[in-house]
Amino acid sequence: MKAEQIRELFNYHFAMNQKIWDQVISKLSDEQFLQEPGYPVRSVRSQLVHMIDIDRGWLGMIKGDRWRGTSNPANFPDRESVRAYREETNALLKEHLAQLEDETLLERSSRMRGAFEIWQMYLHVITHSIDHRAQLMSILNQMGVKTVEQDLALHIFGGEWPSRG
C-alpha cells in the first residue's frame, strides 16, 4: 500500500461523513439527534461522537501517543458542537495525511505491541467508520429517516453509477 492510496481512502472517508452530515444529520430535528432508540450506541449524537473519537484516538496511536479514551457525548450538547469536533479532527487527520510517506506505512506501531503495521492502522480507521456509518444508517432507518448510500465504488464513480448499456 502507498501513501497516496491511504489518502484516497481517507478522501472517501471524509466525503461519506460529509455526505451523511449534509443530506441526513443536518435535517434531523434536535429531538431526533438526541433520541435514544435502544441501539447499543444509543443516540445519533453518541454514534457520531464515538466515530470522531476513534478517528482521533487511532491517529494519536499512529503518531505514538497513548490511547486517550472516548468522550462523554453529553459534552457535545448539540449538532454544532459535534460538527466542530468533527471538523477539528478532520483538520488534524488531513494535516497528518499530507505528510505521510510510503516508507512509514510498513513500520510497526509502537503503541500496539508491534501487532500492526501503520498501513493496517489507517485501514482499521476506514473500516471502523464504514461499520459505524452502517450502524448509523440503521438507527436512522429505524427512526423513519431517509438515508444515503456509502458505497466506495459509488464514490469512485463520482457519486453516480455508470450506465450499464
Side-chain angles (χ1 to χ4, degrees), residues 50-63:
H50 172 74
M51 291 167 64
I52 299 163
D53 279 344
I54 296 304
D55 282 4
R56 201 173 193 122
W58 278 85
L59 173 62
M61 289 194 306
I62 288 167
K63 293 165 68 174

Side-chain angles (χ1 to χ4, degrees), residues 25-160:
I25 304 301
S26 66
K27 295 179 168 82
L28 296 177
S29 68
D30 292 340
E31 293 77 24
Q32 288 173 310
F33 186 69
L34 299 173
Q35 178 183 340
E36 303 213 6
Y39 197 81
V41 178
R42 300 196 297 254
S43 68
V44 170
R45 172 187 62 182
S46 295
Q47 185 80 341
L48 292 169
V49 169
H50 172 74
M51 291 167 64
I52 299 163
D53 279 344
I54 296 304
D55 282 4
R56 201 173 193 122
W58 278 85
L59 173 62
M61 289 194 306
I62 288 167
K63 293 165 68 174
D65 299 338
R66 296 186 75 113
W67 180 253
R68 62 177 207 79
T70 55
S71 303
N72 180 349
N75 293 335
F76 301 90
D78 52 31
R79 270 181 288 219
E80 185 55 34
S81 61
V82 174
R83 188 188 60 73
Y85 183 46
R86 188 195 73 198
E87 288 179 4
E88 177 184 300
T89 301
N90 285 353
L92 293 170
L93 278 164
K94 288 175 182 180
E95 179 182 339
H96 175 79
L97 291 166
Q99 301 169 26
L100 185 62
E101 296 178 357
D102 293 348
E103 302 76 40
T104 309
L105 296 173
L106 295 177
E107 293 175 8
R108 293 225 172 248
S109 166
S110 62
R111 278 286 141 219
M112 299 298 291
R113 298 188 195 125
F116 282 91
E117 289 181 353
I118 299 299
W119 73 268
Q120 292 169 316
M121 295 174 80
Y122 288 114
L123 190 57
H124 173 74
V125 172
I126 298 298
T127 59
H128 179 270
S129 288
I130 292 169
D131 178 44
H132 280 285
R133 281 193 300 267
Q135 291 175 24
L136 183 60
M137 295 300 103
S138 177
I139 291 167
L140 291 162
N141 271 313
Q142 290 173 30
M143 294 167 56
V145 175
K146 184 178 182 326
T147 60
V148 296
E149 289 188 59
Q150 65 160 335
D151 199 296
L152 175 61
L154 188 60
H155 171 75
I156 291 169
F157 289 131
E160 198 170 304

